Amino acid sequence: MLRQIEGSRAVAETVALCRPEVVCAYPISPQTHIIEAVGVMVKEGRLSPCEFINVESEFAAMSVAIGASATGARAYTATASQGLLYMMEAVYNAAGLGLPIVMTLANRAIGAPINIWNDHSDAMAVRDSGWIQLFAETNQEAADLHVQAFRLAEELSVPVMVCMDGFILTHAVEGVDLLDQATVDAFLPPYDPRQVLDPANPVSIGAMVGPEAFMEVRYLAHLRQLDALHRIPAIAEEFFETTGRRSGGLVRPYRTEGADTIVVAMGSVLGTIKDAVDIRREAGEKIGVVGITSFRPFPSLEVREALRHATQIVVLEKAFSIGHGGVLATDVAMALQGTPCVIREVVAGLGGRPITRQSLVKLFYRASQGELGSLLFLDLEHDVVDREVSRMRATRRSGPSAENVLRDLGATRGEGALS
Amino acid sequence: MTKRPIRFYQVGSFAVGNRLLSEGDRTVQSDPSRTNSIDSGHRACQGCGEALGARYALDAAMRATNNQLVAVNATGCLEVFSTPYPETSWRIAWLHSLFGNAPAVATGVAAALRVKGHTEVRVVSQGGDGGTVDIGFGSLSGMFERNDDVLYICYDNEGYMNTGVQRSGATPPAARTATTDVVGPQPGNAFGQGKDLARIAMAHDLAYVATATVADLHDLEAKVERAMQFRGARYLHVLVPCPLGWGTASSETIHVARLAKETGMFPVFEAEFGVVTSVSKIRHPTPVEEYLKVQKRFAHLFGKNPRPEMVAHLQELANRNIERYGLLDRAEPASGVVSGEEPA
Amino acid sequence: MNKRPFAITLDVGTSRSNHTGSWRVERPTYVDRLPPCNNACPAGENIQGWLYEAESGAYESAWRALVEENPFPAIMGRICFHPCESACNRAQVDEAVGINAVERFLGDYAIEQGWRLPAAGPASGRRVLVVGAGPAGLSATYHLRRRGHHVRLVDSAPQLGGMMRYGIPAYRLPRRVLDAEIDRVIDMGVEVVLNHNVADIEAERSSGHFDALFLAVGAQLGKRVNIPAGDSAKILDAVSYLRDVADENPPLLGRRVVVYGGGDTAMDAARTARRLGATEAVVVYRRNQDKMPAHGEEYEQALGEGVTMRWLSTINRVDADKIVIEKMRLNAEGYPESTGDYEELGADAVVLALGQDTDLSLLARAADVEVHDGSVQVAQDLMTNGRGVFAGGDAVPAERTATVAVGHGKKAARGIDAFVRGVAADVTPKHELADFAHLNTWYYSDAERTQRPELERIRRQDNFDEVVLGLTERNALFEARRCMSCGNCFECDNCFGVCPDNAVIKLGDGTYDINLDYCKGCGVCARECPCGAIEMVPERI
């Protein structure tokens, strides 16, 4: 049923169709609307049986989910940004224990400086935790991915994080075709846990593992993610057969046929990129785009297959590893080892900086002209940076950069500086 | 619990069991078919109070719940010595997640049991004092506040023993730890600090809060049993001496716990809905000095450069407990008295 | 099949493959230490052992354990001065266990129930002559019969019992009790010869073909001193006096009786005089109360019955209706000295209770039996220098109490048994003493205040027989349960409970074992054993 609906609401409705048994909630923008909506459904009795638990922190949220999942309940929570970092220890723990928790991550920048807007820094911070990380391009996909996520998580006993861009998706109202309960029930069988806390069949879960077996435990976790590389497309295919919708999967190429330049990106920005690609294609440029849905596990083979005929790869990402460069770009480069492809890293949209079609069209034009360097920060205010850099050179104590930058920006725009 | 007065002296209330007691009046520990929640082969130090306290409490909980029990464990000695791969010493369903989240994990376990209709299965969450009063405190307070159906048991050995005896929020004043060394003008842990978690728990208006020691098994078991009669969040704080961290002989574990109670340093009481309902009276009033002197962590208070003023300060703290809880009121029978068999 | 995660999730009980016993440098070992009561009992009773049975209400088992060593619990429960209670560790917690009261209860209960002593052992073909049917002789007879030896028991008196009958007044030891317990011994099959004075033991031995002799002739001769006396002064000795009373032929002493001496016999004589109508019974003793040899209980009871004391006094002269006493004082060494200060005291008779001597005329022809200072000299096994001639009781150097005599009888029987069988006496070394330092008295619960006075009242009853049996039993049980079982496991399960490693095995038959696979040797079990029945023994590494 197609409804004009906020992204958060669409996700909440879909999560409810997945019959989560324990949902833990702690407010943090921009995921709050999801958890609020689930809470209402539980309180109304529309989602039952389900325990909706208002916890005291994200650390508790993930911990409650761990306990619930280990006791055989389907567990769900949602978070973002600082919240993800605050629960990080438990995030790793859930993966280490192999608990099939599903969590929505409404992607948001990480402070300081505190910033509530979208980028992918939070997801990148837990990249190595052992969670499967799926990135939604649209609200429709965000909703659909949750159904697939529970299925995948429980098949493999691995937690799955569904990443959707904060505000851009979570707060956007657009048409989403919500599934019906029968469809979801048919697609998602009840949770049959691999291990469960049960007095009738007691086991010790969470042992201390020393050097004699830790490597093996980690390797086995890796193997499970490699399994996921098979299961993710298979589940997406089955989802397509059930619903007629293409959601999920590993990678999603768009107009890559015969492309010299291919743009790689994740999340909602793919929509804007596709528009820009269309414009450049109309201009005769051989350019395409590959969206990556599964960031972890990283589908190296599929990425390589999708990109290897191009000469230039532009990896546009909403995060970067300070002091190094792109995170996704590094993974793409690994996938393309031994090919002649040139990789251009473009960092864009940090802290909610808009990524406009205009900027992208200009970027792709420059790419076609071979003007891109190896690392580029899209729409960076170079004047501001330069001024701060020179100030920093003048004195070792130049005050906090963030305030200085804001002051400069204010001056530039003729507004009052922050006092 | 209704307690009938004992009718004879020899065994009475304090031994683990006795052939003269009816089966029902013996402790769970006297039962050869007790659970042994923690099995032999665990790697706790000789004379470990925590290994003992945990078995006492959990075996009692197993009996009280008709073996319908699951346990969540915080990181710490208890976890490390019990579950080094490939061996576990737990005989009960047991889950370890992290250091600071055992109460929240238990919340999740309880929620899962409730949603699945397994309300007969009860949840115990447990940790050391570090995991309870320090790193797990937020999580514990959250669990308390939500009144989740969890009995939280803190095995208090007054420091971070697993990491090599560092100070925790439960380390007593003047005690030596690796991070409160006996150097400088105020050797050992500072006065005027520390967290009284039992009272904090009471401030959450919990249905049941109690303290106990490994020195009085009957009392400890009665409290576990009582705790299991309530639903919602409950808190049990058990003093478990650590031979390593306290610098006591391994054989003295129970004895030193007894001294902690008998000196008033560790008040033993229970409270329901925020009100103290009973206290374990001091049987043999004992100056704190006798408690301190048997522990090397307080050795700097005696010997060549004695610190009588610090001993006096500790005595004041004990006196405060004695006064606060009425530990010396002799009008009532000593706690822990259980029923005895009437001669036929 | 096993879908559990590798390494992270483990199956229960797997730690049992980790044998932590290898950490151990000391191992706990169950021991039996010697309880101080047992150690102090002159009759060698296993007091802790029979109290243990009594605690559970198993009175017959308790009585049987008791009579293993001493066939006279009802008698001992009345006349023993219970050194066991003086030694009792419980005295250091609150007050000693009333062992004697429980013993009396068991003895009376056994008489009431008609329990029999164990049957005599299979006939050994050996013959033993026991001379004297007092506590020593009767005890020896009992133990010899249990070993299957034929016993001829001879006594010069018309009835069995010796000083128990002729020295101890009936108000302390009712004759029906005495008879009941003696009869039980005789019922084992004893050749009894009464009214027979043994004049020559060698003659008696050879004519009767005895393999061994036990001389238990007691000390029946009251000591006399020369006190100037008027013609009509009435002076007699306490032993004769008490014997005549026992024979129901009490002499007439008049209204005012003075007893001279400070021992138990003096108290008995004074109390007896009171019972026979003396309005004044005054004990004159040359030293003070601290130096008085009489047992405290006897003294207290005497005072309670109206006997009065004249301390630091000697009798200088006795006349028909008065005596002259001289005041004494104690010198630095504690000996009495004359003061030259005299006083007259109205008295119709004087009873001398100055100690007893043994009539050893029967040894006149037994040259090899050594006598020194009026006592027969014996070795450790109570054998005299005469081959096969043993002696015990008041006739040998020892404290002169019935309980000591009973102990002698047992010891002599053991020695005689070894002698007649031609083997060395079995001497088992005593266990280490379970002194107070071995105990962890925390575990013994406090008495209820309401119960203690009642108990006290019962314990102080002069006449146990008057107490209602039910109440008596309850209190006896209560008292028995006050026993701390020093040095001997009483199945409190503490070791089983307090082991942090579950390394104590409860075997189910009242005993425990250490699982050395897991015992780390922490010592908590030994430390928390209430009764000191676990010892930490260093491992040989």
Side-chain angles (χ1 to χ4, degrees):
Chain A
M1 184 180 62
L2 190 66
R3 283 168 63 188
Q4 288 297 318
I5 191 171
E6 191 195 42
S8 294
R9 182 84 206 177
V11 167
E13 294 282 351
T14 308
V15 164
L17 293 173
C18 294
R19 302 186 188 279
E21 292 166 300
V22 175
V23 174
C24 11
Y26 190 79
I28 183 169
S29 298
Q31 65 78 33
T32 315
H33 289 183
I34 302 174
I35 224 74
E36 286 171 354
V38 175
V40 169
M41 286 184 272
V42 173
K43 211 156 171 63
E44 282 177 347
R46 278 172 56 202
L47 172 52
S48 177
C50 179
E51 293 286 327
F52 183 84
I53 300 170
N54 285 296
V55 291
E56 74 282 359
S57 71
E58 287 88 356
F59 179 59
M62 183 48 61
S63 301
V64 168
I66 286 169
S69 186
T71 314
R74 184 171 285 163
Y76 170 81
T77 189
T79 192
S81 179
Q82 316 295 143
L84 181 68
L85 263 61
Y86 195 56
M87 70 165 63
M88 191 151 171
E89 190 189 11
V91 168
Y92 269 72
N93 189 253
L97 294 175
L99 300 173
I101 297 160
V102 169
M103 175 163 67
T104 308
L105 181 67
N107 298 105
R108 172 184 145 182
I110 291 169
I114 187 167
N115 173 299
I116 66 165
W117 291 278
N118 169 246
D119 71 25
H120 290 172
S121 306
D122 51 4
M124 294 301 122
V126 296
R127 176 188 69 174
D128 304 328
S129 64
W131 283 61
I132 288 171
Q133 291 180 302
L134 305 177
F135 278 78
E137 184 178 333
T138 63
N139 282 351
Q140 180 69 60
E141 184 166 51
D144 292 346
L145 276 179
H146 281 88
V147 184
Q148 297 187 29
F150 278 112
R151 171 83 180 271
L152 181 65
E154 290 168 11
E155 275 189 13
L156 296 174
S157 287
V158 179
V160 178
M161 197 180 294
V162 178
C163 302
M164 63 188 293
D165 288 312
F167 293 110
I168 298 168
L169 293 182
T170 56
H171 287 57
V173 176
E174 54 188 31
V176 176
D177 189 0
L178 291 175
L179 297 167
D180 59 42
Q181 188 66 61
T183 306
V184 173
D185 286 347
F187 187 80
L188 180 61
Y191 174 31
D192 174 25
R194 178 169 67 148
Q195 56 181 347
V196 65
L197 264 193
D198 178 5
N201 187 18
V203 288
S204 299
I205 303 175
M208 185 180 75
V209 179
E212 70 278 22
F214 193 85
M215 288 269 285
E216 287 71 18
V217 169
R218 277 290 171 271
Y219 183 73
L220 290 166
H222 178 60
L223 282 187
R224 274 210 305 285
Q225 290 239 350
L226 296 186
D227 277 351
L229 288 174
H230 300 289
R231 292 307 302 152
I232 289 168
I235 288 170
E237 193 58 32
E238 196 182 321
F239 187 83
F240 170 68
E241 285 163 13
T242 308
T243 65
R245 259 202 314 279
R246 291 281 178 197
S247 285
L250 297 171
V251 297
R252 189 171 303 143
Y254 177 77
R255 300 189 80 169
T256 54
E257 58 287 355
D260 297 328
T261 298
I262 297 179
V263 183
V264 178
M266 300 192 297
S268 63
V269 74
L270 284 165
T272 322
I273 292 172
K274 284 175 184 171
D275 289 350
V277 163
D278 289 344
I279 290 168
R280 292 307 305 158
R281 276 277 181 181
E282 278 172 31
E285 195 178 317
K286 291 178 177 172
I287 187 167
V289 56
V290 169
I292 292 179
T293 307
S294 172
F295 176 61
R296 284 291 178 275
F298 191 74
S300 295
L301 283 177
E302 289 75 7
V303 168
R304 182 185 178 90
E305 187 56 33
L307 302 182
R308 67 187 174 93
H309 299 297
T311 53
Q312 177 175 243
I313 309 299
V314 176
V315 182
L316 186 139
E317 55 184 307
K318 292 182 173 180
F320 81 112
S321 172
I322 296 170
H324 169 64
V327 181
L328 179 59
T330 307
D331 293 353
V332 171
M334 284 287 287
L336 291 174
Q337 272 187 106
T339 69
C341 296
V342 175
I343 296 175
R344 307 298 182 194
E345 301 176 21
V346 178
V347 177
L350 296 185
R353 173 72 54 90
I355 303 172
T356 63
R357 190 168 60 193
Q358 191 183 358
S359 291
L360 291 177
V361 169
K362 204 163 109 189
L363 177 75
F364 298 162
Y365 171 74
R366 288 177 62 203
S368 69
Q369 300 304 304
E371 289 178 8
L372 297 186
S374 61
L375 176 60
L376 179 144
F377 289 81
L378 189 67
D379 295 341
L380 186 72
E381 297 275 3
H382 286 282
D383 293 352
V384 175
V385 171
D386 290 347
R387 273 202 295 278
E388 176 67 6
V389 167
S390 55
R391 204 162 25 228
M392 279 161 59
R393 286 196 180 119
T395 166
R396 295 189 57 161
R397 291 188 188 174
S398 58
S401 294
E403 286 188 17
N404 291 337
V405 167
L406 284 172
R407 193 179 299 118
D408 287 345
L409 285 168
T412 309
R413 291 171 190 162
E415 294 164 2
L418 290 179
S419 54
Chain B
M1 276 183 79
T2 50
K3 293 171 183 171
R4 278 186 298 132
I6 201 91
R7 292 291 179 212
F8 48 89
Y9 298 175
Q10 185 194 71
V11 284
S13 33
F14 302 103
V16 167
N18 192 279
R19 68 197 174 99
L20 301 178
L21 285 170
S22 70
E23 295 282 348
D25 291 329
R26 300 180 197 182
T27 64
V28 175
Q29 287 304 311
S30 73
D31 183 355
S33 62
R34 72 188 186 204
T35 305
N36 279 339
S37 301
I38 305 181
D39 211 338
S40 300
H42 65 71
R43 288 152 198 253
C45 302
Q46 281 113 325
C48 175
E50 190 172 34
L52 194 57
R55 195 189 74 220
Y56 282 179
L58 293 171
D59 284 3
M62 282 291 276
R63 180 182 279 186
T65 61
N66 195 24
N67 301 330
Q68 297 299 302
L69 188 78
V70 295
V72 175
N73 212 121
T75 306
C77 272
L78 182 59
E79 167 264 325
V80 168
F81 73 61
S82 65
T83 54
Y85 165 82
E87 296 156 2
T88 177
S89 29
W90 297 101
R91 302 204 73 96
I92 58 174
W94 181 90
L95 169 66
H96 160 246
S97 172
L98 295 169
F99 199 2
N101 73 351
V105 172
T107 293
V109 172
L113 292 169
R114 198 160 54 236
V115 78
K116 291 190 166 295
H118 299 315
T119 47
E120 77 285 2
V121 180
R122 309 299 301 275
V123 186
V124 163
S125 183
Q126 55 187 3
D129 50 294
T132 303
V133 315
D134 290 346
I135 196 170
F137 180 68
S139 166
L140 183 64
S141 179
M143 188 275 281
F144 283 169
E145 163 277 312
R146 290 185 302 269
N147 202 24
D148 294 320
D149 189 18
V150 173
L151 168 62
Y152 189 93
I153 306 176
C154 171
Y155 304 109
D156 178 8
N157 57 21
E158 302 186 334
Y160 291 91
M161 304 318 188
N162 186 41
T163 44
V165 192
Q166 293 85 18
R167 176 205 182 272
S168 81
T171 302
R176 184 212 169 271
T177 71
T179 49
T180 56
D181 210 343
V182 291
V183 292
Q186 290 295 319
N189 193 31
F191 282 85
Q193 301 181 350
K195 222 180 265 190
D196 185 341
L197 201 42
R199 289 171 68 216
I200 294 171
M202 286 167 65
H204 287 76
D205 266 352
L206 299 193
Y208 190 72
V209 172
T211 65
T213 78
V214 288
D216 191 344
L217 178 61
H218 285 271
D219 177 67
L220 172 56
E221 290 188 350
K223 284 169 175 170
V224 171
E225 195 178 325
R226 179 70 180 147
M228 283 304 179
Q229 290 168 0
F230 293 95
R231 291 279 172 175
R234 290 140 290 146
Y235 182 71
L236 179 60
H237 190 107
V238 185
L239 186 71
V240 292
C242 170
L244 172 78
W246 294 18
T248 49
S250 62
S251 60
E252 299 305 294
T253 299
I254 290 176
H255 180 67
V256 73
R258 187 174 298 134
L259 284 174
K261 182 233 162 191
E262 291 293 279
T263 54
M265 284 295 280
F266 185 85
V268 177
F269 65 94
E270 57 186 342
E272 294 181 11
F273 300 102
V275 178
V276 174
T277 52
S278 82
V279 301
S280 290
K281 302 293 183 185
I282 291 172
R283 280 176 82 200
H284 308 302
T286 310
V288 292
E289 197 167 326
E290 287 191 30
Y291 171 63
L292 304 173
K293 271 189 164 168
V294 297
Q295 305 176 54
K296 289 204 187 83
R297 63 176 174 159
F298 294 112
H300 55 284
L301 304 182
F302 308 99
K304 262 187 288 182
N305 299 302
R307 301 296 298 263
E309 83 288 0
M310 290 173 80
V311 174
H313 198 159
L314 288 162
Q315 182 67 58
E316 279 172 31
L317 297 178
N319 292 348
R320 199 157 78 187
N321 285 333
I322 290 168
E323 196 173 328
R324 174 177 286 150
Y325 296 101
L327 300 178
L328 275 179
D329 180 5
R330 291 216 162 254
E332 297 168 42
S335 153
V337 173
V338 299
S339 59
E341 205 178 7
E342 279 284 350
Chain C
M1 164 71 199
N2 184 6
K3 55 179 188 169
R4 284 178 206 135
F6 168 71
I8 297 165
T9 300
L10 303 173
D11 287 317
V12 296
T14 40
S15 68
R16 296 191 70 85
S17 63
N18 182 32
H19 286 187
T20 53
S22 61
W23 304 11
R24 191 177 56 244
V25 294
E26 283 186 314
R27 73 168 61 182
T29 308
Y30 290 97
V31 293
D32 289 327
R33 290 194 169 103
L34 180 64
C37 51
N38 294 12
N39 187 47
C41 179
E45 287 183 20
N46 181 5
I47 295 166
Q48 179 274 326
W50 58 256
L51 281 174
Y52 178 83
E53 297 294 336
E55 283 155 22
S56 63
Y59 301 128
E60 183 164 358
S61 305
W63 181 79
R64 296 215 169 275
L66 207 170
V67 299
E68 271 303 304
E69 314 297 338
N70 183 343
F72 306 122
I75 297 171
M76 290 301 136
R78 288 173 167 81
I79 65 170
C80 180
F81 294 108
H82 42 75
C84 51
E85 294 185 23
S86 308
C88 177
N89 278 330
R90 180 115 211 170
Q92 296 179 58
V93 176
D94 39 34
E95 59 184 285
V97 175
I99 297 167
N100 193 242
V102 181
E103 184 173 29
R104 173 152 64 177
F105 164 76
L106 288 174
D108 288 353
Y109 199 69
I111 293 170
E112 187 188 293
Q113 300 294 317
W115 293 333
R116 312 299 305 160
L117 290 171
S124 66
R126 307 291 183 180
R127 293 169 58 80
V128 181
L129 175 66
V130 175
V131 184
L138 284 165
S139 167
T141 299
Y142 167 69
H143 289 287
L144 287 165
R145 286 303 295 136
R146 293 202 59 191
R147 289 170 167 83
H149 306 307
H150 178 87
V151 175
R152 178 187 291 171
L153 176 62
V154 301
D155 198 288
S156 57
Q159 283 185 280
L160 297 169
M163 283 300 245
M164 297 192 293
R165 185 180 302 277
Y166 296 107
I168 294 171
Y171 61 83
R172 278 179 58 202
L173 178 56
R175 294 308 181 234
R176 55 166 189 82
V177 171
L178 181 66
D179 292 341
E181 293 207 321
I182 291 174
D183 287 352
R184 272 194 318 234
V185 174
I186 303 308
D187 287 351
M188 292 171 79
V190 179
E191 182 191 351
V192 176
V193 181
L194 291 168
N195 298 310
H196 176 69
N197 221 330
V198 176
D200 178 348
I201 58 162
E202 286 304 327
E204 200 93 20
R205 179 180 189 172
S206 54
S207 68
H209 308 288
F210 292 107
D211 298 289
L213 269 66
F214 180 49
L215 305 180
V217 294
Q220 306 278 1
L221 303 176
K223 280 186 180 163
R224 307 289 296 223
V225 286
N226 279 328
I227 302 172
D231 290 342
S232 53
K234 193 177 278 178
I235 301 177
L236 61 166
D237 74 84
V239 180
S240 312
Y241 172 58
L242 291 170
R243 173 186 291 262
D244 290 344
V245 172
D247 276 343
E248 296 177 358
N249 184 24
L252 297 173
L253 299 184
R255 214 164 40 76
R256 300 167 301 173
V257 177
V258 167
V259 179
Y260 194 22
D264 291 323
T265 307
M267 300 301 152
D268 284 344
R271 293 175 68 191
T272 299
R274 283 284 292 161
R275 279 175 170 72
L276 292 176
T279 52
E280 286 176 33
V282 182
V283 173
V284 174
Y285 180 52
R286 64 197 175 111
R287 297 199 277 186
N288 60 15
Q289 188 181 348
D290 288 345
K291 307 279 180 185
M292 170 184 73
H295 287 89
E297 249 170 76
E298 277 260 349
Y299 168 67
E300 294 289 339
Q301 285 171 357
L303 289 187
E305 292 167 12
V307 174
T308 57
M309 303 298 299
R310 296 297 296 247
W311 303 115
L312 291 168
S313 305
T314 55
I315 300 177
N316 273 48
R317 179 178 176 81
V318 181
D319 284 314
D321 59 350
K322 68 176 190 296
I323 62 171
V324 177
I325 58 176
E326 182 183 1
K327 294 292 191 67
M328 309 297 282
R329 62 170 168 245
L330 295 184
N331 67 12
E333 285 81 44
Y335 289 102
E337 291 176 336
S338 300
T339 60
D341 191 2
Y342 298 92
E343 190 185 339
E344 279 194 359
L345 198 63
D348 299 318
V350 172
V351 179
L352 301 178
L354 300 167
Q356 289 112 271
D357 290 325
T358 300
D359 179 0
L360 293 174
S361 58
L362 76 174
L363 293 176
R365 285 189 52 217
D368 42 1
V369 175
E370 187 189 345
V371 176
H372 180 73
D373 214 7
S375 290
V376 181
Q377 301 302 298
V378 288
Q380 195 64 35
D381 61 356
L382 296 183
M383 187 151 84
T384 65
N385 286 353
R387 234 182 107 64
V389 180
F390 291 73
D394 288 356
V396 304
E399 198 189 348
R400 285 176 170 175
T401 69
T403 320
V404 168
V406 166
H408 282 177
K410 182 175 83 169
K411 199 172 184 180
R414 198 187 297 142
I416 290 167
D417 181 63
F419 173 79
V420 299
R421 291 192 291 112
V423 298
D426 179 26
V427 185
T428 39
K430 279 189 171 184
H431 290 132
E432 185 195 359
L433 190 66
D435 55 29
F436 192 73
H438 282 111
L439 307 182
N440 188 338
T441 56
W442 171 266
Y443 291 100
Y444 303 101
S445 57
D446 309 310
E448 274 189 275
R449 280 178 299 279
T450 52
Q451 253 164 335
R452 195 172 293 177
E454 188 191 1
L455 185 77
E456 292 304 298
R457 190 171 57 77
I458 296 302
R459 275 207 228 158
R460 294 195 199 293
Q461 294 272 359
D462 280 357
N463 192 330
F464 210 73
D465 294 349
E466 290 169 4
V467 180
V468 179
L469 187 66
L471 190 61
T472 303
E473 181 191 343
R474 225 189 98 143
N475 283 278
L477 187 66
F478 183 76
E479 195 61 50
R481 288 174 170 188
R482 293 186 62 239
C483 171
M484 302 195 294
S485 197
C486 305
N488 289 270
C489 174
F490 63 95
E491 292 173 61
C492 76
D493 292 334
N494 255 21
C495 52
F496 180 65
V498 302
C499 175
D501 295 288
N502 317 353
V504 176
I505 304 164
K506 188 172 173 179
L507 295 172
D509 62 351
T511 65
Y512 307 86
D513 200 2
I514 305 294
N515 186 340
L516 294 170
D517 282 348
Y518 302 111
C519 168
K520 294 171 183 164
C522 67
V524 172
C525 56
R527 182 70 171 87
E528 299 305 323
C529 176
C531 63
I534 303 177
E535 188 179 4
M536 295 304 289
V537 179
E539 292 283 354
R540 281 199 304 271
I541 303 168

